[in-house]
Structure formats: C-alpha cells, structure tokens
Amino acid sequence: MSENNASAKLSSARLNAPTDAFVEAFTASVEFDQRLYQHDIQGSIAHATMLEKQGILTATDRDDIIRGLEAIGESIAQGNFEWSIAQEDVHMNLEAALTESIGDAGKKLHTGRSRNDQVATDIRLWLRDEIEVVRDGILRLQQALLDLAEREADTILPGFTHLQTAQPITFGHHMMAWFEMLVRDRERFADCNRRLNVLPLGAAALAGTTYPIDRHYTAELLGFDRPSENSLDSVSDRDFAIEFAANASILMMHLSRFSEELIIWSSAQFGFIELSDSFCTGSSIMPQKKNPDVPELIRGKTGRIFGHLIGLLTLMKGQPLAYNKDNQEDKEPLFDTIDNLQGSLKVFAEMMPGVTCRKENMRNAAMKGFATATDLADYLVGRGMPFRDAHDVVGRAVAFGVAEGRDLSAMSLEELQGFSETIEADVFEVLTLEGSVAARNHIGGTAPAQVRAAIERARTAITQ
Ligand code: ARG
C-alpha cells in the first residue's frame, strides 16, 4: 500500500491545503473496502453500458472502459495491483487506475454517478452473493443433521426441561429440532435478499442526476428487481445491512445453543456423545483432556456477531438524510459477520458426521430421572382416572422411588398397585423407554416412526 502522494487526493480544486497525512490514513477505507472490487467493477460496467445506450458515452469510450476495468480486475486477482491510501477507497483507486490505463475515457465513467450511490450499489451486490453462500452453508448443515437424525432415529436419551430429566425422547427427534431452527434461518436470509435487491445507482450524490439515465436498464443489467424509489433514501439506507446482521445474530444464537448442548453432552458427567478427535484439542498441562474447542469457539463468536448488529443499529440512529461519512463504518462489521458465519456453518456441518452417541449412558440417564412418570399418569387416565388424580398417584410413586433409589419400571406390580388399584400388569409396557417414545406417535412427536416421516418430508422440502 503506497502512502505517498497525499496531494493527489481526489485532486479537488476546492481544497487549498493537502490533507494531513494522518487524516488521510484515518479517513481512508481502501485497506478493507478493496474486498468489494469485483462488485465495484460489475457496477461500473453496467453504468458505462447504460450511459452508452443513452447516448451519454460513445461506444468507443464504453468499450475502452469495460476492457480497462476487466484488465484491472485481473491484475487485482493476481495480486499485481498497488492500492493507494492517497486514493482513499476502492472506488477512487479503480477510477484512478482506469484513467491511468485508458486516458480521458476513464474520467468519463463517473458521469451521472456519485460514490454515494456507487458504494450503496456495491455493498448490495456483494452482500447478495454472500447471502447465497450463507444459505448454501445452512443447507449443508441441514443435510448433515438429517443424516445424523436418520442414523439415530431410535436412539433414546432423556429430554429435559429446566435441565431436569423430563421425558424420554429420541436423538433423531432432537436433531430435527435443530433442523427446524435452520429452516427458519434459511427463509429469513432469502427474505432479506428480496428486500435488498433494489438498485440505488442513479440517486447520484443524493438528488438524482441531470443526465438522461435509464435506471430500469441498469437494474436489469445488474439483476436487481427494480430501481429504488427515492434518491435520498437510496444513498443513506442501510436497513438491509441491519436486517442481515439481525438474521445472522439469530442464526448464531441457534448455533450457540447447539454448541452448548454438544459441550454439555460430551462432558464426563453427561457422557452422551463423543466428538471426533479432529474437532477437539488436548490440554498443555492435563493429559486426560479432550476439549470441545470447535463448539466452544462458535458459542464464543456469537458475541461479536450480536455486537455487529448493535454496532450497525447505533451507526444509523443519529444520521440525518442523506449520505454521511459515518456509513463507511458499515463494511467491517458486515465483512466480519460474513466470515464468521460462513466459517461457523462450514465447521459445524463437517463436525456432525463424527458425533458418536454413547447409547448406554443416554439410556441410564433416562432411567434415572423418572422420565416415564407422565406415561404412567397417561396410562391411568386411559383407564378412566381424572388427570389430576393420576398426577397425584404418580407423584407418590415417584416419591417412593426417590426414597428407595429405584425407577418406576424397577418396582413390582404389587408395589405399584399400592398407589392405585387401577394399575395392572400391562403397565410395564408404558414404563419402558421404547414404549414411552413410540407412544408419542403424531406429527411433531418423538416416536421413531414420526422422526422418520419428518426426515422424509424435510428431504423433499429442502430440495425444492
Ligand atoms: N468510502 C466511502 C464509503 O464507504 C464511499 C462513499 C464516499 N462518499 C463521500 N461523499 N465521501 O462510504
């Protein structure tokens, strides 16, 4: 990055003194917004194409501009481009390089345009592409979850409320709960892209331009649904960035919850699962350790993603119309959100096939917490007892079990009949873990048959 040549900055005839060197570096964004170069070139090519169609540029100038921009794009991709802080941002760097390579035609590219509508266009183009990558990452994770759910459709573990044993559930059912959260996430990003897909270019600095531009044509060239309605709103709107950050926050909140469960489940105290060694690390001092670093790090990264949402909201809250330099601060939070979101999704999807269920430990845990108590109550209700009375009978049976250190299924028929004469020998069918989960056999229930049906519906839905 070259830092010389401060006086060349924007070569503004209005300014008498060159920008102070520190101010120049402080206000420049090129170190990070160079990431937008491909989309800046894409927008400029569409703009030049439209200017020529409208008779504002000659065909020769247009062709020179397009060829020049493409060559610059290639030299950037090959790492041969020298970015200059004196040129402030990606937009000025590209325009200066273009003029240097093709001469005066390069100076005509900015006709009927401002960096204000240019940058608003660039970010939308860039984010639109990145959101599709995120949606793809969600899909991959969903597929990994479906495979795991299918593999473990019959595996039984205790389900919790208040982190206290509640009722037996199947591991497949639990995985499908995560899957459902991701269905909503994927929809939310598609929804965000629908609202984002509007062309700001043509708003120019803030009021529009005096040239006879065709914004519908530019919109069509860039794959936008339509040109934006209001020029002031176009250059200052960052709602789409906030909406994206909000969706990203909800997705990370989900990944963080998944991570938390993986961390708890892989602890020695729970021992429900084993994570593949390649997603864990050891300790430099404790030889026995196998730490679930990947889920922990994802849980940790959730904090900065929430931070970016608050940062963007705060960035916008005090801005009068229209464009303000504040908006330059929208990029780093967006870049960081994208990088961490895509990374987290990728590593999570890759981690899923290596999750091993320690089925014996899950079963033992389910047997410990009187997880089939509700099933006993339901059994009594099935024999005509009002639910509240059944609740009371089972409550007394559980209190006895706690005192004796025995599960309901480990009591004799006589012992159980001591709490209610309604109980008969067939009670033991509902007191087994298998009987308990199989009985919840309706759409949305934990029965293995329902889990398999849900997986099948999901596989069809995600391919559409
Ligand atoms: N680098 C600026 C940004 O990111 C581009 C727009 C600058 N516009 C201006 N009037 N200074 O927002």
Side-chain angles (χ1 to χ4, degrees):
M1 181 100 32
S2 83
E3 295 199 27
N4 52 10
N5 205 9
S7 56
K9 187 193 174 200
L10 294 188
S11 49
S12 171
R14 162 75 176 80
L15 303 177
N16 293 322
T19 311
D20 173 89
F22 179 74
V23 171
E24 182 178 85
F26 185 75
T27 53
S29 53
V30 64
E31 296 215 41
F32 53 86
D33 70 12
Q34 56 183 264
R35 181 165 171 167
L36 296 172
Y37 82 91
Q38 281 171 315
H39 297 91
D40 194 72
I41 290 174
Q42 186 188 0
S44 289
I45 289 177
H47 181 64
T49 307
M50 180 278 291
L51 290 179
E52 191 278 334
K53 181 179 91 69
Q54 297 303 98
I56 304 166
L57 273 187
T58 65
T60 317
D61 284 347
R62 175 202 59 195
D63 293 344
D64 287 351
I65 287 171
I66 293 175
R67 264 197 296 274
L69 286 172
E70 283 172 350
I72 291 168
E74 265 166 47
S75 81
I76 296 171
Q78 284 160 11
N80 297 330
F81 188 84
E82 202 187 322
W83 297 100
S84 147
I85 284 187
Q87 292 298 344
E88 192 176 315
D89 56 24
V90 61
H91 324 291
M92 297 303 300
N93 268 269
L94 293 186
E95 194 185 318
L98 181 67
T99 302
E100 200 179 303
S101 103
I102 68 169
D104 276 356
K107 296 185 194 161
K108 295 181 187 167
L109 170 62
H110 214 51
T111 311
R113 180 175 87 168
S114 151
R115 278 185 298 155
N116 300 349
D117 57 345
Q118 185 179 358
V119 71
T121 304
D122 289 5
I123 310 169
R124 284 175 191 253
L125 286 170
W126 170 81
L127 192 55
R128 189 176 70 180
D129 285 352
E130 296 294 349
I131 283 177
E132 284 312 315
V133 178
V134 168
R135 293 190 72 238
D136 227 58
I138 296 175
L139 185 63
R140 269 167 230 266
L141 176 52
Q142 285 180 305
Q143 277 157 343
L145 285 173
L146 288 178
D147 292 344
L148 188 55
E150 194 153 46
R151 198 185 80 199
E152 306 293 346
D154 299 292
T155 303
I156 294 176
L157 75 160
F160 299 94
T161 60
H162 314 269
L163 203 56
Q164 307 291 318
T165 301
Q167 292 170 357
I169 56 167
T170 51
F171 194 82
H173 195 54
H174 200 112
M175 291 303 102
M176 290 305 284
W178 293 0
F179 176 91
E180 282 302 314
M181 301 182 207
L182 296 173
V183 170
R184 296 191 293 273
D185 287 316
R186 205 155 171 269
E187 271 174 22
R188 258 188 289 273
F189 283 109
D191 201 41
C192 176
N193 249 356
R194 263 194 295 281
R195 252 184 303 282
L196 168 157
N197 205 28
V198 173
L199 172 80
L201 206 63
L206 77 166
T209 176
T210 56
Y211 297 95
I213 57 173
D214 181 351
R215 299 187 63 219
H216 288 280
Y217 182 60
T218 315
E220 196 187 309
L221 289 175
L222 291 173
F224 284 111
D225 294 331
R226 58 182 173 86
S228 56
E229 282 290 334
N230 181 289
S231 63
L232 296 172
D233 181 47
S234 308
V235 290
S236 62
D237 168 36
R238 294 294 182 273
D239 292 1
F240 62 93
I242 295 171
E243 198 177 333
F244 164 75
N247 295 346
S249 295
I250 297 175
L251 170 56
M252 285 304 290
M253 176 270 287
H254 289 154
L255 297 185
S256 184
R257 294 182 70 187
F258 304 171
S259 295
E260 174 68 7
E261 293 197 312
L262 294 177
I263 294 162
I264 293 182
W265 288 346
S266 59
S267 69
Q269 287 67 23
F270 269 73
F272 284 6
I273 60 160
E274 181 101 34
L275 294 171
S276 145
D277 284 358
S278 38
F279 292 86
C280 298
T281 61
S283 156
S284 52
I285 177 167
M286 297 168 283
Q288 85 282 14
K289 293 280 270 188
K290 175 174 165 184
N291 295 328
D293 288 51
V294 169
E296 286 175 292
L297 195 55
I298 290 172
R299 188 179 59 186
K301 282 179 182 298
T302 306
R304 72 206 264 174
I305 306 300
F306 290 3
H308 294 324
L309 170 62
I310 298 299
L312 287 168
L313 282 166
T314 313
L315 172 69
M316 297 310 295
K317 79 176 275 289
Q319 288 195 44
L321 289 174
Y323 175 87
N324 302 281
K325 181 76 166 178
D326 311 43
N327 282 351
Q328 185 164 289
E329 288 286 307
D330 64 354
K331 288 165 205 65
E332 288 158 295
L334 287 177
F335 294 160
D336 190 68
T337 302
I338 279 291
D339 291 341
N340 284 293
L341 213 51
Q342 291 174 355
S344 300
L345 284 167
K346 179 177 151 58
V347 76
F348 219 106
E350 286 168 6
M351 186 167 58
M352 284 299 103
V355 171
T356 320
C357 289
R358 301 173 72 181
K359 299 182 192 187
E360 266 317 296
N361 290 348
M362 289 185 184
R363 287 191 73 86
N364 291 342
M367 295 306 292
K368 255 184 226 158
F370 301 94
T372 55
T374 315
D375 297 270
L376 178 56
D378 291 345
Y379 169 88
L380 293 168
V381 169
R383 271 155 193 73
M385 189 181 287
F387 181 76
R388 276 296 151 222
D389 294 341
H391 191 280
D392 186 61
V393 166
V394 180
R396 283 185 286 115
V398 167
F400 172 73
V402 171
E404 294 274 305
R406 266 192 292 150
D407 185 65
L408 295 173
S409 61
M411 295 176 193
S412 69
L413 181 59
E414 290 68 37
E415 280 171 329
L416 287 169
Q417 282 172 337
F419 302 104
S420 165
E421 282 167 9
T422 314
I423 296 174
E424 289 172 45
D426 62 353
V427 72
F428 292 104
E429 286 162 35
V430 308
L431 294 183
T432 65
L433 297 177
E434 278 71 19
S436 171
V437 293
R440 286 166 172 78
N441 192 20
H442 52 76
I443 183 163
T446 195
Q450 290 298 331
V451 173
R452 292 206 166 83
I455 294 169
E456 208 175 302
R457 286 194 300 275
R459 287 209 195 275
T460 319
I462 60 174
T463 50
Q464 279 159 3

